[in-house]
Amino acid sequence: MVSFAHLADCHLGAFGRNHKLREYNLRSFERAIEICIDRDVDFIIIAGDLFHNPHPDLDVVDRAVKSLVKARKKGIRIYSVYGSHDFNIAKASLVDVLESAELFKKVVHYLDESQSLEHVEDDTGIKITGLSGRKSRKDTSYYKELNFNEPDGDAIFVFHTPIAEMKPVDIHEKETVPLSSIPDGYKYYAGGHIHRNLREEKDGSPIIYPGVTFGSSYTDLEKDLDRGFYIVEDWEPGHVPVDVCEIRRVDIDADGFLPSELEEKLLELSNSEIHEEVVLVKVSGILREGVPEDIDFMRVRRKIEEAGAETVFLNRRNLEGKTVERLKIKERDESEIEDKIMDEYGFNDIVTKEFAKDLLNVLKVEKGGGETNTDYDERIWHEAWNLIYKLDEYEDMEEEDDESQVSDNFVEDVDKNKGTEEKKGQKEQFSLTDFGGN
Ligand SMILES: [Mn+2]
């Protein structure tokens, strides 16, 4: 009987600033590998994002290597693709180092010249191939550009890309690929990237996202995800839960509370003994008076830890004070204020005011619900860079504005001067909506 394990999104090294969570994340991976050894699987597939970044801390590397070596010593083969987190286009990533050390084998070689996929044959005779994930979903183009040939015999396709039909609505993704773009003829599709345990079928073959072994963000922890991975025995997939700690999630609606009342309510949490290792408290709403800073969150956290929690995370992103509300009323004059400040500081000498305003619009977009910090960062970076690339065009616009002030008969001048006409054409292409501004 052939059996293999399918893991993804381990994100080793995540939670760099919270040592407890960082440790639980590592332990979850170690546990998963121990289970693979106990269950005597033939091989393990890691469908990307084994590490949280391409160059993790050496203590994280050490833990990962020890675990992988244990499996390798039992004769278990390990196959992997890059995820969007552990790939670096400019430099070798740790994934490359581990491949050089023969701890595992990458089943994809980037943009192969033949434009088709090569298969790696495991000792069981199963053929494995796949495509890596890339930042900003550049991997989606592979599915359009590559020629997929149907494999002979039993084969597995590994990928780290969101599939449109499987993507939960609360997860933000710039781009997805349709299920129809995923190559045909495989007996198992081993996915990664979407941090949920999801299962679908393609022509009768399972297509699976195993979800996270622990999670990489507070957003992941706040959801009651089925943490774990899959073991597939005789092509029958079974989810294997991995629970290294218990998580208590508390939602507090602070609407209309005074800061002192909210602090009291939060402290109530520490009145009884806490058995869960991790306590996540989410506070949302608008305070009746004062601001969130009036609450001694440090004290609240300490008290909950004293009651038995190993680590406490207070999410107060959606808690607003009265002052915030007062600022909101002023928002009507926002652009006027920005205008004034830019004039005062001589902004037009550095970049054009239009550019500065559009950039501000990009930077002030708030994080979407369900969007992870990483996705949010990526989105903002991407949009900001798109704008920066167009900086020249803004400067052209500026020049043209000056000309139009000189001549009242600008439209007529256009006919006489082809150069100006081109500039005008360019100007018409731009509006705030082109840059996603509003
Ligand atoms: Mn991931």
Side-chain angles (χ1 to χ4, degrees):
M1 182 188 70
V2 172
S3 79
F4 64 90
H6 167 201
L7 284 76
D9 297 289
C10 308
H11 286 269
L12 304 182
F15 300 106
R17 273 175 285 178
N18 183 320
H19 291 285
K20 293 272 159 56
L21 294 177
R22 187 175 185 265
E23 175 61 27
Y24 284 130
N25 172 290
L26 283 164
R27 243 185 254 171
S28 302
F29 175 72
E30 289 166 343
R31 176 76 57 83
I33 298 297
E34 276 163 26
I35 297 171
C36 292
I37 295 170
D38 289 346
R39 297 270 298 263
D40 199 20
V41 299
D42 294 298
F43 57 90
I44 298 171
I45 291 170
I46 301 171
D49 284 355
L50 170 59
F51 295 101
H52 193 53
N53 62 60
H55 309 111
D57 291 345
L58 286 179
D59 66 308
V60 172
V61 178
D62 187 49
R63 295 274 292 270
V65 166
K66 275 182 180 139
S67 243
L68 295 171
V69 165
K70 257 189 224 166
R72 295 291 289 120
K73 280 188 173 161
K74 298 281 179 190
I76 298 172
R77 283 85 61 197
I78 304 168
Y79 302 100
S80 187
V81 296
Y82 295 110
S84 35
H85 279 262
D86 47 19
F87 174 69
N88 185 323
I89 195 156
K91 296 186 246 175
S93 95
L94 192 68
V95 169
D96 302 301
V97 177
L98 298 189
E99 176 171 73
S100 302
E102 296 184 7
L103 273 179
F104 58 62
K105 216 174 170 69
K106 272 187 304 192
V107 290
V108 58
H109 292 279
Y110 253 74
L111 291 181
D112 186 25
E113 275 168 18
S114 71
Q115 299 279 291
S116 62
L117 296 173
E118 265 174 57
H119 292 78
V120 169
E121 190 171 335
D122 180 67
D123 294 354
T124 53
I126 294 173
K127 292 183 180 128
I128 307 165
T129 191
L131 286 170
S132 291
R134 291 278 302 274
K135 273 215 188 316
S136 311
R137 297 272 60 79
K138 288 197 182 69
D139 45 304
T140 51
S141 65
Y142 299 156
Y143 293 86
K144 292 175 202 139
E145 288 157 15
L146 290 173
N147 306 312
F148 295 118
N149 300 319
E150 279 204 28
D152 337 312
D154 293 343
I156 298 170
F157 182 76
V158 189
F159 63 101
H160 190 90
T161 301
I163 292 178
E165 290 87 341
M166 293 176 78
K167 188 191 79 66
V169 282
D170 61 328
I171 290 185
H172 165 88
E173 280 295 346
K174 221 178 309 175
E175 261 187 274
T176 54
V177 297
L179 193 53
S180 57
S181 296
I182 302 293
D184 296 325
Y186 289 85
K187 220 171 163 175
Y188 184 89
Y189 295 88
H193 185 67
I194 296 183
H195 287 193
R196 306 277 168 86
N197 170 18
L198 302 169
R199 194 173 159 170
E200 190 55 70
E201 259 182 29
K202 184 179 170 71
D203 305 324
S205 299
I207 178 159
I208 287 175
Y209 289 102
V212 293
T213 43
F214 182 74
S216 63
S217 65
Y218 293 104
T219 315
D220 282 346
L221 298 184
E222 274 167 5
K223 297 207 174 73
D224 194 8
L225 310 171
D226 299 324
R227 294 178 165 70
F229 66 106
Y230 273 79
I231 288 184
V232 183
E233 285 178 338
D234 262 345
W235 301 103
E236 196 45 64
H239 182 257
V240 181
V242 174
D243 282 311
V244 293
C245 66
E246 274 191 87
I247 302 174
R248 183 195 288 203
R249 301 173 183 88
V250 187
D251 272 331
I252 292 178
D253 179 3
D255 241 354
F257 276 43
L258 290 171
S260 58
E261 288 167 349
L262 178 57
E263 190 166 327
E264 195 80 1
K265 179 117 184 134
L266 286 164
L267 286 169
E268 271 173 28
L269 290 169
S270 61
N271 284 348
S272 57
E273 224 174 286
I274 293 173
H275 301 285
E276 295 87 351
E277 288 88 351
V278 178
V279 177
L280 302 174
V281 186
K282 196 173 185 174
V283 195
S284 44
I286 301 171
L287 295 169
R288 188 163 83 236
E289 258 175 44
V291 288
E293 287 70 28
D294 295 338
I295 297 155
D296 189 349
F297 287 105
M298 289 279 273
R299 177 164 166 249
V300 169
R301 189 175 302 132
R302 204 177 51 239
K303 288 278 175 200
I304 299 175
E305 283 175 359
E306 278 168 14
E310 269 192 42
T311 185
V312 179
F313 182 71
L314 284 157
N315 174 351
R316 49 191 175 95
R317 277 176 299 212
N318 297 318
L319 179 65
E320 288 179 30
K322 272 290 164 194
T323 319
V324 174
E325 215 175 31
R326 248 181 267 139
L327 281 174
K328 274 196 171 165
I329 298 162
K330 285 187 183 166
E331 258 175 27
R332 248 177 284 135
D333 311 312
E334 192 183 22
S335 78
E336 226 173 275
I337 295 166
E338 285 170 2
D339 245 5
K340 252 190 202 164
I341 293 173
M342 286 180 196
D343 285 338
E344 243 167 68
Y345 285 86
F347 239 80
N348 267 336
D349 302 339
I350 310 162
V351 288
T352 74
K353 237 160 73 175
E354 281 313 308
F355 173 78
K357 280 190 204 165
D358 286 346
L359 187 59
L360 263 180
N361 278 332
V362 165
L363 297 177
K364 68 184 161 198
V365 174
E366 284 182 26
K367 209 176 90 164
E371 187 174 23
T372 66
N373 286 341
T374 317
D375 286 343
Y376 175 64
D377 281 355
E378 268 180 29
R379 183 160 64 90
I380 297 292
W381 271 111
H382 181 80
E383 283 171 12
W385 274 110
N386 271 350
L387 215 54
I388 291 166
Y389 290 139
K390 291 180 184 163
L391 194 53
D392 289 352
E393 294 170 11
Y394 278 89
E395 275 154 15
D396 289 347
M397 266 167 76
E398 186 77 0
E399 276 168 33
E400 192 250 311
D401 278 349
D402 292 346
E403 278 171 54
S404 68
Q405 276 163 17
V406 173
S407 167
D408 288 329
N409 301 318
F410 180 65
V411 180
E412 279 173 39
D413 286 352
V414 167
D415 295 331
K416 295 171 202 156
N417 185 338
K418 206 168 175 280
T420 318
E421 191 181 2
E422 274 165 17
K423 276 178 188 166
K424 182 165 166 50
Q426 266 184 19
K427 190 190 180 185
E428 280 174 349
Q429 288 167 16
F430 300 120
S431 72
L432 277 177
T433 48
D434 286 332
F435 307 119
N438 47 33

